[in-house]
Structures are given as structure tokens and as C-alpha cells.
Amino acid sequence: MFAVHLMAFYFSKLKEDQIKKVDRFLYHMRLSDETLLDIMARFQAEMQKGLGKDTNPTASVKMLPTFVRAIPDGSENGEFLSLDLGGSKFRVLKVKVSEEGKRNVQMESQFYPTPNEIIRGNGSELFDYVADCLADFMKTKGLKHKKLPLGLTFSFPCRQTKLEEGILTSWTKKFKARGVQDTDVVNCLTKAIRKHKDIDVDILALVNDTVGTMMTCAYDDPYCEVGVIIGTGTNACYMEDMSNIDLVEGDEGRMCINTEWGAFGDDGVLEDIRTEFDRELDLGSLNPGKQLFEKMISGLYLGELVRIILLKMAKAGLLFGGEKSSALHTKGKIETRHVAAMEKYKEGLANTREILTDLGLQPSEADCIAVQHVCTVVSFRSANLCAAALAAILMRLWENKKAERLRTTVGVDGTLYKIHPQYPKRLHKVVRRLAPNCDVRFLLSESGSTKGAAMVTAVASRVQAQQKQIDQVLALFRLTPEQLKGVQGKMRMELEYGLKRDTHLLATVKMLPTYVCGMPDGTEKGKFLALDLGGTNFRVLLVKIRSGRKSVRMYNKIFAIPLEIMQGTGEELFDHIVQCIADFLDYMGLKGARLPLGFTFSFPCRQTSIDKGILIEWTKGFKATDCEGEDVVDMLREAIKRRNEFDLDIVAVVNDTVGTMMTCGYEDPNCEIGLIAGTGSNMCYMEEMKNIELVEGDEGKMCINTEWGGFGDNGCIDDIRTQYDKKVDEGSLNPGKQRYEKMTSGMYLGEIVRQILIGLTKQGLLFRGQISERLRTRGIFETKFLSQIESDRLALLQVRRILQQLGLDSTCEDSIVVKEVCGAVSRRAAQLYGAGLAAIVEKRREDQGLEYLKITVGVDGTLYKLHPHFSRILQETVKELAPRCDVTLMLSEDGSGKGAALITAVAKRLQQAQKEK
């Protein structure tokens, strides 16, 4: 028993001594966490360099765009072909992908040889041979006369500008076919395939083996967005935000980036990490100074690195008693499979003895322990370096997503990872330590890159088909120049009908006279009160106008209108309004002052003079009784009398659109049109009195409130209304009314978007085909979300966040589609506004008999103010439809407050002038 203990003690002491000896010799190969974090930071800097347009040419990590924009979502379906060209044999594969509720893939494949005379001969002969093998495979599998998409795994450096194109930059491995470099390999193969008249194949994707690995794993795990190869060579790819990729146009979505990380350090950034052994290995390689990171990691080099170290240790008398064999001097005699065998848990020492003996050496027990530990240090360093670069990618993904924790999967392939007994465990452990914010799952790729090429093709095929369906829906919202001219012409007709006595009652555009007969001329001055009633809040304003310097100062107070007042009696409503006015006058110290007053009353009214407005009907939730059909100015005067505290001179009852025109007209005398593009939609303009048959007199001009929201209520624009517009109309409070407004205004655009999203989801094109309860809820998609989603500064991540706030769990692809839908709906709205405005400016030009009209339009409304592209599209449309009109759009400040005061001031000025006459 004592002898056994003694032996065990001797062996553990021997092992400890040998390990210490090797550790001293290989001190520089052992990397601390601090060093690994430093390498991570260097790699992140290199990635950034590779992604930048200006810095990419000098970057060692090339960060090549692959044009793979989506990962499988499980809805892929159909038969696909795949070719894998890149080694001593090439493989043709048929992949059948079926949904059937669960992800299901069936594969049939065949290997074909790649003879030396073919891979080193003429390029066209190489591709003819590949096409012949493909035709043979299709004949064998009964696939002739079937149109099939094909994915090509091509494991040579290529420059891609789209998914189905790849310019070969250089052959590697043993390939040397002439006339292929700097040409598109997809084009070469397509030409060769066309010679076979009996096969119909469409090459949809050219894929690198790393991307193939990621896509294979992503089919089984939708969280997979990184692919890593740790085999003969090493590389990684991952899904990067398009907004970070300078090399490719466009900011939408994501794209897989092939890092080509094997070349990390080729610019000297890893010189302090490389050892004398790495330098010796590099000098003896086929490509000195190139792929320096790969030479410290991959299976092609680990065995050779171990051989160089063992030889140096033997020369230093630290191994084999200083003896060396000719095999130990021979390059390539120790391979990575030997390293893996020597590191096996139980039989490792026995394997080490056997391998060393085969090399013509006579190792002692101590030598075997030392050699085994050399293998451990070399392969551990490989796993550490690989982990540092991988952790840098994961941290980049984490930063891109701005999540608290990143949940992701890394698809892995490669012989070193697969055959080495300790490698995966070491790699996983270090990655998790270096990227503590990431919950990482590692998934071994099955069937590798060839199946991956088929998956890329399947995804490309799905995306193509889905995009076609989405385009068909959105095409309904893309108005042609002819359609817009048609809208302009019909609007012009309706304007004329509205102005004529005989047709006025039938016109959908009501063309209401406002009795505002003049624009500000800069001489207005004095103190004016303005009231603004148009929603749940009521404003009272004091507006001080000074002439000469055109200075306007405003003081205002906002008062709430409780629901019981909005829906009580008319008397209660107007008493409440007068109470608010009294509070304001008290607050401003103006009790007893008889001030002129302008009343912005944003409800449909029929006016017979500037200070008379008969309410046609309540809107916006107001239901106060005994008001409809009554003059609101009279009701206000009666309420003031009842209070008997103060007297006011009510000069004008005003619509907010007219207020907008007046506010801008005060600044710019060319302003003769007012436009509201907000919750509602409306337009007013100065019309020649002689054209207004509803009002006596032919002299001068009067502002006409078009109330154009009702344009189309007679069916004249039904040709451009979509099924989604009709659904929105049916679900509204006033079906069949205000059809133009329902296609253009902020109150409805979000609802149109929601209807389209429901339609696309029903077709399985969005939100995984699941219509959530939130999406079924009317009004959740407010128009402000359109403005936010379409903002150029907004990354897709933020779009997803907005959708999540709405209870819509979206993928990156969903977010792109939602953004497209918002863009189509808001673009159409701006174009329809433009067509309406073009009708009015052309009318004004013709009425004045001008060759060319210069005019300003005062604009107000949240849609115009907040939407990032609305004003530009509106302006472009007017320019296209009314080329002889120079239209300036001017943003109004407070049309309903300041505008009401200015209308009052102009009316007072005109009254005074009349008196003086």
C-alpha cells in the first residue's frame, strides 16, 4: 500500500515539474484575461475600420458584405439545389424544406471528384465540368424539367455587390483555373448551365462557408446570428445593422458580414502577442506575413506549431534527452489530429507515447507529460484568441441592440472544434467570461455549409416571394403622374361647382364664403382678444399688435372643458366660456376694457357675414344641445349679457385654416392660401368676388373656406381608393363622408396603416402570421408613430421598440415592412395634398391671366410639422403638377390664436375705412 502511495506521489511530482518546465518555456503563450480583453478591444477597432468606407482599404479585417439580409424564419418552403466548390471533392445537394408546423429538412447529395487537370486548367472547362456534374445529379434524382433555385457555396475570397454575384479576387488551396480571377463566378456558372437545355436552374445566392454555417444553425435556432469556422482555417460572420455598413447603400435592416478575421494582425497590431514560434511558422508558410491570426488558431497550423516548439525544447536539452529525429525536423509531421489525440482525457498519455515513437523518438514518462502539456498550451491559446475575437463580435451585437442582456446563438463548424476533446469547453468558458452581458448558446452545424447555401437560397426565395406580395399591396398606394393629374382635374371641377349658385348644393367641396375680405397690410395695431374653441381645451388670448415693425405679442391661458359641459346644454357651454374669459381678463388686469374679439370656432359653420356663424353640426365629441342651426356669435353675446360684468366687441368668427393664412399673410404679402395638414385636412384661399355667385358684389376678393375634406364623397375618386381606405371609412363615425380627408389627414393615416398591417399579417407576411389583440384595436396606431418610424435618424431597433410599445412583437424584417407601409401611406397623403393645392394655384394663375404665378401658402398642422418627408413630397408634387406656379410653403405660428386677432384687426381697419368713405 505504501509503495502505491509513493508511486502516486512520484507521478504527481513529476507531472508538476514537467508542467512548470513547459510553462516557463512557453510563458508568452499563456494569455491573461487582461490581455484577452485588450485583444478584444483591438479586434473591435479593426471591425470598425473594416466597416468604414474610407478606412476599409487599410483594414486587416475586411468585413465583407455578403448581401445575406435575413435568417430563416421557419416559413421557408420548397426544393432547392446547392453546390459546394472549394476542396478536393465537390458536392451537389438537393434540399427539401417543408413547413408542416415544424422545421423539416430532407437532403440528398452526391460527391464528385475535382481532378487536377480541371482545377488547374481553363476556367470555362472548370465551370462546364461543374455544370455537367449538376446535370448528371438532376438526371439521377429525376429533377430535369423542374425549375429550381440554386445556392453556390464558393469558399474562395470574393467581392460581392449583390447576393447572386461574386467577383473572384484570388484562388486559394490548390485551385488555379485560368481566366476566372476578377470575373463573376455566378455568371461563369450560369453560362455553363445554359448549355444544358434540359435543366432550368436559377442561381439565387453565392455563399461563403462561414455564412452557410450560420444559416444552417439559424434554421434550427432563430436566435442564431453568428457563424464561426474553427477547422483547417478559421473565420466568423455575424448579422450587422445596415446603418453601420458604409460599404453598402441603405440603412434599412441587417446584413451578414463575413469578417475574414484570419487576417487580423496582418497590419502589426498583434506583434506583442506573437512569439518566436509563430514567426518561424509564418516564415515557412506559403503566404508569409498573411493570415497571422489564423496561423495562431486554425487546424492547418496547430500541429506544426507544436512540432516547432518540441524541436526547440529538444535542442535546448529540455526534451528527449536532447535527442532529435529526422521526422521531428520535417515540416508537417505533427498534424492537428495528433494534437487532439494527445490531449484526450484518459488515453492521452498513451497516445502521446505512440505518436512520439512513430516520429523516431524514445520518450520518457516525463517527456510524454511535457509534450502533452505543450499541446494543451498551444490549443488553449488558440481557443483563447478565438474567444477574444468572438466575444468582441458578441459585444458589438449587444451594443447594436442596446439590450440589457443579449440572448444569442453561435453556429459552429470545423474539424478542430469537432475532433479536439477539450476545445469546445475551453472556448465556451472563456467567451462567457469575456462577454458577461451575453447569454450564448453554441450550436454545432450539421451538414455544414452546403445545407447553409440551400438555406440562404430558401430565405432569398421566401423574401423574394414575400416582397412581391408586399409590393402588390403597396402598389395600390403608389399614384402615377396620370392619376395625380386626374385628382387635380377633378378637384378643379369641384371648386368651380362649389362657387356656382346652381351647382353649390351638389358640390362635395362646399366653398364657404368667410366674409374675410382683406389681408393684413402692416398698419394694424391695438389690443385684441382671441378665443380658440376646437377641442377639449379652450384658449383665451390677448394679442398686442404694433404697426410699423410688424410686432405681435401674445398672452394666453388654457382652460379645460369638462365632458359634462361638452355634452350638456348650449347655455351651460357658453356660460362656461364666458367664465373662462372673465378669469382671463381678471388675470390680465383688463376687467372693464371693451376689446375687439375674434372667435376661432373650428366646427362646420355657414356664414352670412364676418360676425355671423350658424353651426351646421357638432364634431370632435361635442354634443351641447340647442346649438346646431343657431348663430354661435349670438349665443356668446347672450352669455356675456347674462354675466353682466363686461362687454366685448365680437368682430369675427373664424375658421382655423383662415387664421393660418392670415398669420402668414402678416409676414408675407404674397400669402393668399391657407393649408391645414394635421388631425384634419382643409384649405382656404383668396378668391375674386366676381367668381363667388353665393355672395352679392363683384369688387375685390374674399377668402373662401373650401372644406375640401369632403372631396370625393360623390365617388369621383373611387378609382384610387383602396380596400383599406374603405375599411377605415366603414369603421369611422361618419361613413361615406370626408373621403379625401380620410386619405390624407393625421386622424386617419395611422388607421390605414393598421388595416394594411392586419392584411399582411393574414397573408403570413408579418408578425409570424399572428394578429395580436393590440393590432385588432382601432386607433392604436397613431399618426405620430408614422412620423417617428419614418424618421431617417431612427435605427430599426428603435422602430422595433415603438412596435413593442404597441404590443407588436416584431422581427427586424417586420420592422422594415412596417416602415415601408408607413412610407407608402404618408407619401400618398402628401401627393394628394399636392394635387389639391396644384388645382387651386393653377386656378389662381388662370383667373389672373398670368403666364407665371408666384404665391405663398401658409401651412399649419402636426402632420406637416412633425412628419420628416411630408413637406418635401407635397412641394415636389405641386411643382410637377403646376410647373408655371412658384409656390412657397410657409409654416404658420399659431393660426387659431394670432390669426383670429389679425382677422379682427383687418376687419376693424376695413370697417373704419368704410366709415370714413
Side-chain angles (χ1 to χ4, degrees):
M1 192 66 185
F2 176 71
V4 171
H5 279 299
L6 196 63
M7 273 304 289
F9 173 74
Y10 166 74
F11 186 74
S12 70
K13 186 79 177 79
L14 178 69
K15 190 173 182 181
E16 197 182 316
D17 290 346
Q18 294 306 312
I19 285 171
K20 278 183 180 169
K21 175 174 75 177
V22 170
D23 281 347
R24 276 196 299 275
F25 194 75
L26 300 180
Y27 171 75
H28 284 299
M29 290 188 109
R30 297 184 69 80
L31 304 171
S32 66
D33 276 6
E34 195 182 342
T35 305
L36 292 176
L37 286 166
D38 185 31
I39 292 168
M40 254 178 88
R42 295 183 209 182
F43 186 72
Q44 279 174 316
E46 283 298 313
M47 285 168 80
Q48 195 59 44
K49 217 171 151 185
L51 288 169
K53 201 172 193 171
D54 300 334
T55 46
N56 176 274
T58 58
S60 59
V61 179
K62 282 298 172 198
M63 305 294 281
L64 304 172
T66 66
F67 295 85
V68 170
R69 295 170 186 266
I71 58 172
D73 70 357
S75 67
E76 290 73 22
N77 224 320
E79 289 185 319
F80 305 92
L81 291 169
S82 182
L83 285 179
D84 189 353
L85 185 65
S88 52
K89 294 181 208 168
F90 91 92
R91 187 182 180 198
V92 185
L93 185 78
K94 184 194 98 169
V95 179
K96 188 174 184 182
V97 184
S98 53
E99 210 176 338
E100 294 169 4
K102 62 181 192 294
R103 300 173 183 230
N104 188 3
V105 179
Q106 295 166 335
M107 294 189 292
E108 295 175 63
S109 69
Q110 196 171 321
F111 284 96
Y112 291 89
T114 46
N116 268 338
E117 63 273 19
I118 291 288
I119 65 173
R120 293 178 174 208
N122 190 297
S124 58
E125 286 169 13
L126 168 66
F127 289 106
D128 284 344
Y129 174 73
V130 172
D132 292 345
C133 296
L134 176 64
D136 173 72
F137 177 82
M138 290 179 79
K139 185 181 174 184
T140 312
K141 303 291 175 191
L143 297 172
K144 286 200 166 184
H145 310 295
K146 233 184 187 187
K147 185 172 175 67
L148 291 174
L150 180 141
L152 171 62
T153 301
F154 191 73
S155 303
F156 302 96
C158 280
R159 196 171 61 252
Q160 283 186 268
T161 53
K162 49 189 176 200
L163 184 59
E164 68 282 11
E165 176 188 279
I167 311 296
L168 178 71
T169 52
S170 63
W171 285 115
T172 56
K173 301 159 198 174
K174 294 177 181 173
F175 280 67
K176 283 271 167 66
R178 296 185 299 278
V180 185
Q181 204 165 317
D182 295 323
T183 64
D184 176 13
V185 293
V186 174
N187 191 31
C188 296
L189 181 55
T190 303
K191 280 181 186 166
I193 290 170
R194 278 195 194 130
K195 293 176 187 173
H196 294 266
K197 303 294 180 197
D198 51 352
I199 64 171
D200 190 1
V201 170
D202 191 8
I203 304 174
L204 287 190
L206 175 78
V207 183
N208 153 291
D209 54 351
T210 320
V211 180
T213 296
M214 180 188 80
M215 293 299 268
T216 301
C217 294
Y219 186 70
D220 298 317
D221 181 344
Y223 283 100
C224 182
E225 49 193 344
V226 182
V228 178
I229 299 273
I230 311 166
T232 314
T234 183
N235 194 12
C237 69
Y238 72 102
M239 295 301 287
E240 176 61 87
D241 288 359
M242 280 288 289
S243 53
N244 296 330
I245 308 169
D246 282 358
L247 306 165
V248 180
E249 290 215 358
D251 282 342
E252 304 302 338
R254 302 197 300 165
M255 184 182 284
C256 180
I257 290 290
N258 164 21
T259 63
E260 288 294 344
W261 77 9
F264 176 40
D266 288 5
D267 57 356
V269 297
L270 293 179
E271 282 313 294
D272 55 329
I273 306 297
R274 292 173 74 226
T275 64
E276 57 181 301
F277 319 114
D278 297 308
R279 291 189 175 89
E280 192 171 320
L281 178 139
D282 178 44
L283 285 171
S285 70
L286 290 167
N287 54 349
K290 298 272 194 292
Q291 300 294 99
L292 299 182
F293 192 58
E294 183 169 78
K295 284 170 185 168
M296 293 191 270
I297 291 175
S298 81
L300 190 62
Y301 304 102
L302 287 200
E304 182 59 11
L305 210 46
V306 167
R307 185 192 69 80
I308 289 168
I309 292 165
L310 297 188
L311 184 61
K312 284 206 183 267
M313 287 183 78
K315 280 180 179 173
L318 298 170
L319 281 178
F320 320 126
E323 294 296 319
K324 304 168 289 291
S325 64
S326 62
L328 192 59
H329 277 94
T330 309
K331 188 180 165 187
K333 276 293 181 185
I334 299 179
E335 295 172 24
T336 296
R337 64 188 172 91
H338 298 134
V339 176
M342 288 190 268
E343 281 198 76
K344 277 201 172 151
Y345 180 55
K346 283 184 180 167
E347 59 266 43
L349 276 177
N351 290 342
T352 305
R353 184 176 292 282
E354 193 183 316
I355 289 160
L356 292 174
T357 306
D358 287 348
L359 289 170
L361 298 161
Q362 294 174 337
S364 65
E365 195 70 38
D367 289 334
C368 291
I369 291 167
V371 169
Q372 190 183 39
H373 192 58
V374 168
C375 292
T376 300
V377 172
V378 169
S379 63
F380 215 125
R381 184 186 70 156
S382 163
N384 275 339
L385 289 170
C386 197
L390 180 53
I393 288 174
L394 294 173
M395 291 307 282
R396 185 172 178 89
L397 282 173
W398 174 71
E399 282 164 16
N400 283 351
K401 293 192 178 187
K402 296 180 175 63
E404 208 168 305
R405 292 195 69 74
L406 173 74
R407 179 185 171 184
T408 193
T409 297
V410 176
V412 196
D413 202 358
T415 45
L416 178 57
Y417 185 85
K418 283 176 178 172
I419 66 162
H420 193 290
Q422 316 295 334
Y423 202 97
K425 193 169 64 187
R426 290 171 184 163
L427 177 78
H428 303 171
K429 197 174 174 182
V430 181
V431 166
R432 289 181 178 124
R433 215 166 56 231
L434 295 176
N437 299 329
C438 306
D439 300 320
V440 194
R441 179 188 178 209
F442 290 86
L443 187 58
L444 187 62
S445 164
E446 290 168 39
S447 321
S449 53
T450 323
K451 176 184 166 188
M455 291 321 307
V456 172
T457 310
V459 170
S461 192
R462 162 178 68 79
V463 168
Q464 217 174 57
Q466 287 177 342
Q467 193 58 50
K468 200 173 174 184
Q469 287 174 280
I470 291 161
D471 285 345
Q472 280 170 350
V473 170
L474 298 187
L476 302 170
F477 291 84
R478 294 189 181 115
L479 300 176
T480 62
E482 287 67 37
Q483 285 174 314
L484 288 167
K485 276 180 188 149
V487 172
Q488 180 186 9
K490 288 169 189 171
M491 176 68 86
R492 176 70 186 267
M493 279 169 64
E494 288 294 316
L495 297 174
E496 302 290 1
Y497 287 160
L499 287 171
K500 292 190 168 33
R501 190 177 279 108
D502 298 346
T503 49
H504 174 77
L505 290 174
L506 298 171
T508 59
V509 180
K510 284 297 169 199
M511 307 295 281
L512 303 174
T514 65
Y515 296 85
V516 170
C517 297
M519 296 294 290
D521 65 2
T523 63
E524 294 77 17
K525 61 182 177 182
K527 290 179 186 174
F528 303 88
L529 271 185
L531 310 181
D532 179 11
L533 181 69
T536 50
N537 286 333
F538 168 62
R539 278 196 312 158
V540 187
L541 304 94
L542 173 70
V543 184
K544 291 182 180 176
I545 303 173
R546 289 170 67 185
S547 63
R549 285 185 303 152
K550 286 196 174 181
S551 151
V552 177
R553 292 179 73 178
M554 292 190 290
Y555 309 87
N556 74 86
K557 205 165 182 198
I558 295 172
F559 301 90
I561 299 197
L563 193 64
E564 63 271 19
I565 297 282
M566 284 168 67
Q567 300 183 355
T569 66
E571 205 167 278
E572 286 169 339
L573 173 64
F574 281 93
D575 283 348
H576 179 75
I577 288 171
V578 171
Q579 174 67 57
C580 297
I581 297 170
D583 288 351
F584 179 75
L585 292 172
D586 209 15
Y587 169 73
M588 294 299 296
L590 289 169
K591 258 198 166 163
R594 191 173 191 272
L595 296 172
L597 181 144
F599 186 9
T600 300
F601 188 76
S602 300
F603 300 93
C605 281
R606 194 168 58 253
Q607 284 187 258
T608 52
S609 67
I610 196 165
D611 64 347
K612 275 198 181 309
I614 290 148
L615 175 64
I616 297 167
E617 61 177 335
W618 282 121
T619 55
K620 306 175 194 174
F622 276 73
K623 284 188 183 157
T625 57
D626 307 322
C627 294
E628 289 177 1
E630 298 296 326
D631 179 2
V632 294
V633 177
D634 280 349
M635 293 186 83
L636 181 59
R637 283 183 178 135
E638 289 300 318
I640 292 171
K641 268 187 200 163
R642 275 196 300 276
R643 187 163 184 101
N644 199 23
E645 266 184 34
F646 52 83
D647 192 17
L648 295 170
D649 176 15
I650 304 170
V651 175
V653 62
V654 183
N655 160 289
D656 56 349
T657 319
V658 184
T660 295
M661 178 186 76
M662 293 300 265
T663 304
C664 294
Y666 186 65
E667 304 293 331
D668 180 349
N670 271 331
C671 181
E672 288 201 343
I673 299 176
L675 171 67
I676 296 284
T679 314
S681 168
N682 198 12
M683 170 85 74
C684 71
Y685 72 103
M686 295 302 286
E687 178 60 272
E688 306 295 331
M689 280 291 289
K690 62 175 188 266
N691 295 333
I692 309 169
E693 293 185 4
L694 303 168
V695 179
E696 297 274 316
D698 284 349
E699 293 302 312
K701 294 177 190 174
M702 183 184 286
C703 178
I704 290 291
N705 166 20
T706 65
E707 287 294 342
W708 77 359
F711 173 51
D713 288 0
N714 58 0
C716 70
I717 54 171
D718 278 5
D719 58 320
I720 60 167
R721 285 175 80 227
T722 68
Q723 67 197 77
Y724 308 103
D725 295 307
K726 287 168 189 167
K727 276 194 180 133
V728 169
D729 182 39
E730 284 158 18
S732 70
L733 292 169
N734 54 350
K737 301 270 173 71
Q738 300 293 99
R739 290 181 181 179
Y740 183 66
E741 182 168 80
K742 283 171 187 167
M743 295 166 81
T744 55
S745 81
M747 194 167 182
Y748 300 99
L749 296 192
E751 191 55 20
I752 298 171
V753 168
R754 188 183 71 87
Q755 290 294 347
I756 298 170
L757 299 187
I758 288 173
L760 294 176
T761 309
K762 279 180 182 169
Q763 290 180 59
L765 301 170
L766 267 183
F767 310 131
R768 302 175 186 86
Q770 304 294 311
I771 301 178
S772 65
E773 268 314 302
R774 288 285 287 158
L775 194 54
R776 290 179 205 277
T777 311
R778 267 185 62 78
I780 61 143
F781 212 96
E782 294 172 47
T783 299
K784 68 173 181 182
F785 294 128
L786 264 79
S787 301
Q788 289 169 8
I789 284 168
E790 286 189 71
S791 166
D792 294 331
R793 295 191 303 278
L794 211 61
L796 275 185
L797 191 72
Q798 290 156 297
V799 175
R800 282 178 80 178
R801 210 161 280 155
I802 291 168
L803 293 174
Q804 276 161 357
Q805 283 170 15
L806 295 171
L808 305 173
D809 186 20
S810 69
T811 63
C812 186
E813 286 70 42
D814 289 339
S815 304
I816 294 172
V817 175
V818 171
K819 197 165 182 177
E820 256 187 278
V821 170
C822 291
V825 170
S826 61
R827 182 177 182 79
R828 184 190 68 163
Q831 287 179 319
L832 286 172
Y833 260 104
L837 179 54
I840 286 177
V841 294
E842 270 297 300
K843 178 179 178 359
R844 294 298 297 128
R845 185 185 68 77
E846 287 174 20
D847 285 351
Q848 292 171 62
L850 297 171
E851 185 65 30
Y852 195 79
L853 173 72
K854 188 175 172 62
I855 196 164
T856 299
V857 178
V859 196
D860 203 353
T862 47
L863 185 58
Y864 183 86
K865 282 178 181 172
L866 302 180
H867 193 283
H869 310 301
F870 192 91
S871 58
R872 175 181 54 79
I873 298 163
L874 168 59
Q875 187 103 45
E876 285 168 2
T877 309
V878 175
K879 198 171 182 183
E880 209 171 290
L881 296 176
R884 288 191 282 176
C885 299
D886 179 4
V887 180
T888 302
L889 298 179
M890 181 179 183
L891 191 60
S892 158
E893 289 171 54
D894 195 8
S896 51
K898 182 177 172 182
L902 283 165
I903 290 169
T904 308
V906 170
K908 289 299 279 180
R909 174 169 60 78
L910 294 175
Q911 276 173 16
Q912 191 60 37
Q914 196 68 37
K915 270 183 194 172
E916 285 167 10
K917 270 186 185 176

